[in-house]
């Protein structure tokens, strides 16, 4: 029920106008890090994305579809950045500092990126370096972790952290993953716990708001990193060529529905140079 004051007492503040303003304030054009431009190497956070999408990004094409420019995307991304600040504050309250926040990877490294930071306190064993990454996921993404486990659900996050760690000398990484909608997740967990078939129950001892996962990165430095480097360097060398897409955009499914270059990809059609693959495939 709307208040009678909404009938003209104030200038109209509409949902659309508010979200458009958020895009202007927080969107890519407002950030030098994300500004649209020709780039010489892919991002650590995007290396598992479709190879053609990365080629378009490196080439400096303007986004051309609603997929990557959803009206609420900029606001949601900013809420994720705020989660990082909130998480850092909570860690400080329990005795952990987060150092080296958003430092850039070295210019001569084969991907770019800005890790969230590394954990420190006096009780950490001497010489041990533990990176930290904050993620803020919607209901589907958060529940997928609860159902399948972090590493099976988010191999792209594992790749990103391995690249950061390899570049910066991390021994381990800690992820703090928050749910954007713990209320819905909690409801889904309650329903799942009463499923008649025990085999489909995944909501056992899980937290609907926060998921924490830690990993030793050293095994990945000799297994995953060489493969990632091959893919990254190939993308850098082929950014001006038509690259074969790694999804079928006409299917109308994720991730193509979120691609900022969907219209260009459809116009370019099938074909192109095939990028080196990652061992787990492209992140879905």
């Amino acid at each position: 029920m709307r208040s009678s004051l909404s009938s003209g007492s104030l200038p109209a503040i509409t949902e659309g106008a508010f979200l458009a303003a958020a895009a202007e304030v927080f969107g890519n054009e407002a950030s030098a890090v994300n500004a649209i431009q020709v780039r010489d190497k892919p991002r650590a956070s995007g290396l598992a994305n479709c190879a053609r999408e990365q080629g378009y990004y490196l080439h400096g094409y303007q986004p051309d579809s609603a997929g990557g420019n959803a009206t609420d995307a900029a606001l949601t991304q900013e809420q994720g950045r705020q989660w990082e600040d909130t998480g850092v504050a909570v860690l400080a309250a329990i005795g952990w500092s987060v150092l080296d926040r958003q430092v850039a990877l070295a210019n001569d490294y084969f991907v770019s990126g800005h890790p969230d930071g590394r954990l420190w306190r006096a009780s950490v064993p001497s010489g041990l370096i533990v990176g930290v990454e904050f993620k803020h996921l919607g209901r589907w993404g958060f529940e997928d972790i609860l159902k399948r486990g972090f590493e099976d659900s988010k191999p792209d996050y594992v790749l990103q952290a391995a690249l950061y760690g390899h570049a910066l000398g991390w021994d381990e990484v800690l992820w703090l993953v928050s749910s954007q909608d713990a209320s819905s997740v909690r409801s889904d967990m309650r329903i799942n716990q009463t499923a008649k078939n025990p085999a489909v129950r995944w909501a056992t001892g899980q937290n609907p708001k926060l998921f924490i996962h830690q990993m030793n990165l050293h095994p990945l430095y000799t297994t995953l990193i060489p493969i990632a480097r091959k893919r990254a360097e190939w993308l850098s060398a082929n950014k001006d060529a038509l690259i074969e897409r790694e999804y079928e955009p006409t299917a109308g499914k994720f991730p193509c529905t979120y691609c900022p270059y969907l219209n260009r990809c459809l116009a370019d059609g099938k074909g192109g140079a095939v990028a080196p693959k990652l061992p787990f495939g492209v992140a879905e």
Side-chain angles (χ1 to χ4, degrees):
M1 181 177 182
R2 292 187 178 270
S3 165
S4 60
L5 292 177
S6 66
S7 60
S9 300
L10 293 172
I13 302 175
T14 66
E15 292 90 345
F18 186 94
L19 293 173
E24 183 71 22
V25 174
F26 304 122
N28 285 346
E29 287 74 20
S31 170
V33 172
N34 295 317
I36 296 168
Q37 58 185 282
V38 176
R39 297 177 182 272
D40 60 0
K41 53 190 173 183
R43 296 169 298 145
S45 60
L47 189 58
N49 293 353
C50 174
R52 180 178 286 187
E53 177 189 346
Q54 293 183 76
Y56 290 154
Y57 168 80
L58 292 170
H59 189 86
Y61 285 125
Q62 290 281 341
D64 58 37
S65 73
N69 295 285
T71 56
D72 57 359
L75 184 57
T76 301
Q77 289 166 3
E78 180 61 21
Q79 289 171 326
R81 285 187 284 269
Q82 291 176 3
W83 157 235
E84 178 184 333
D85 290 337
T86 301
V88 168
V90 174
L91 287 170
I94 57 176
W96 290 95
S97 298
V98 179
L99 308 180
D100 301 334
R101 294 184 63 189
Q102 300 298 324
V103 299
L105 301 188
N107 289 334
D108 61 355
Y109 198 64
F110 55 88
V111 295
S112 62
H114 295 79
D116 292 344
R118 63 180 177 89
L119 290 170
W120 182 89
R121 72 175 177 184
S123 61
V124 173
S126 177
L128 182 69
I129 302 176
V130 181
V132 62
E133 283 290 302
F134 298 89
K135 301 296 183 182
H136 188 54
L137 299 183
R139 173 185 177 187
W140 187 93
F142 190 85
E143 287 190 4
D144 191 59
I145 290 175
L146 302 186
K147 294 172 183 177
R148 298 200 290 148
F150 184 87
E151 292 166 35
D152 286 341
S153 175
K154 298 298 178 186
D156 51 330
Y157 289 176
V158 174
L159 173 63
Q160 179 188 17
L163 290 164
Y164 288 162
H166 182 250
L168 297 172
W170 293 355
D171 297 296
E172 301 177 2
V173 62
L174 182 79
W175 288 274
L176 291 98
V177 185
S178 68
S179 165
Q180 295 174 18
D181 187 0
S183 179
S184 291
V185 174
R186 184 178 287 106
S187 177
D188 290 345
M189 292 175 68
R190 188 179 300 114
I191 294 170
N192 177 259
Q193 288 169 343
T194 60
K196 291 183 178 180
N197 182 2
V200 303
R201 295 176 190 164
W202 50 267
T204 54
Q206 308 277 27
N207 188 293
K209 184 61 182 177
L210 184 66
F211 187 94
I212 297 178
H213 186 71
Q214 189 166 353
M215 176 184 284
N216 175 11
L217 294 172
H218 283 283
L220 300 179
Y221 296 158
T222 56
T223 55
L224 181 58
I225 291 299
I227 300 171
R229 180 169 193 151
K230 182 178 179 181
R231 179 174 171 89
E233 292 180 342
W234 186 95
L235 287 166
S236 296
N238 289 272
K239 65 183 180 184
D240 295 327
L242 178 65
I243 298 174
E244 177 66 280
R245 58 200 183 200
E246 294 175 312
Y247 291 97
E248 179 47 65
T250 59
K253 297 180 180 179
F254 179 86
C256 295
T257 50
Y258 282 80
C259 178
Y261 309 105
L262 178 58
N263 294 333
R264 179 178 292 275
C265 181
L266 290 169
D268 283 344
K270 295 183 178 180
V274 178
K277 307 295 184 185
L278 294 168
F280 51 78
V282 179
E284 298 188 29

